[in-house]
Amino acid sequence: MTARTTRATRTTRAELEAELARYLTIAGHRFATGGESPQMFSGLIDRVWHEKMQDPVAYAEFCSAHAGEPVAHHPAGGTGPVNWIPDYERHFGTLPDLWFMGADGVVDEPLRREYHRTGAVTRAEWICAPRPARVVGLGDDGVAA
């Protein structure tokens, strides 16, 4: 391992799905209030999101339960500050370390340390974000068309 990354502790599927649910709850609130879509900066939670979309019926139910409406997985790359952390903390408390894991389960230590030191994430990278399905439309695979 390099100084940049460490292997994460074991994370359960239930913990990952709970974080995806919290993320979609924030997304749904932002959709309803005209706020900016929250960036998905965790490769691990994004992987769970993709897996969840493999069952369109269960995914639609999951979205309705947490976001209040169907949610499209929309390609939206970028870098910079993560805009939704204050919303998360207001409703759910401190972001757990699994938000700083890549799809391989390796923690981005500098990003995690920045958050724990400052309460913000200013240098994240993301490749997607949620969008209301009513705005972008969903393909057969649950991904934005």
Side-chain angles (χ1 to χ4, degrees):
M1 297 281 149
T2 67
R4 179 165 165 63
T5 59
T6 58
R7 181 63 60 184
T9 58
R10 186 179 178 118
T11 302
T12 68
R13 178 69 181 203
E15 290 171 310
L16 292 167
E17 287 192 8
E19 288 307 309
L20 178 60
R22 290 173 174 177
Y23 176 76
L24 292 179
T25 298
I26 291 167
H29 181 262
R30 285 176 164 234
F31 298 162
T33 61
E36 187 178 352
S37 187
Q39 313 93 334
M40 173 51 76
F41 75 98
S42 170
L44 188 58
I45 296 172
D46 186 48
R47 189 182 80 200
V48 171
W49 191 3
H50 280 264
E51 292 167 2
K52 200 75 162 153
M53 289 186 297
Q54 296 303 306
D55 181 344
V57 173
Y59 179 65
E61 292 172 358
F62 188 79
C63 289
S64 291
H66 300 290
E69 65 179 291
V71 175
H73 182 278
H74 185 71
T79 60
V82 176
N83 65 22
W84 53 269
I85 291 174
D87 295 339
Y88 184 100
E89 291 176 334
R90 190 170 28 262
H91 297 285
F92 307 113
T94 303
L95 280 176
D97 286 349
L98 63 88
W99 274 101
F100 304 95
M101 293 182 197
D104 58 1
V106 174
V107 176
D108 182 330
E109 283 295 330
L111 202 61
R112 186 188 71 78
R113 281 194 303 270
E114 175 191 23
Y115 172 68
H116 286 290
R117 188 177 61 252
T118 68
V121 175
T122 62
R123 298 166 293 151
E125 297 179 13
W126 55 89
I127 60 169
C128 63
R131 296 286 188 267
R134 62 185 151 68
V135 173
V136 296
L138 287 177
D140 292 338
D141 59 358
V143 178

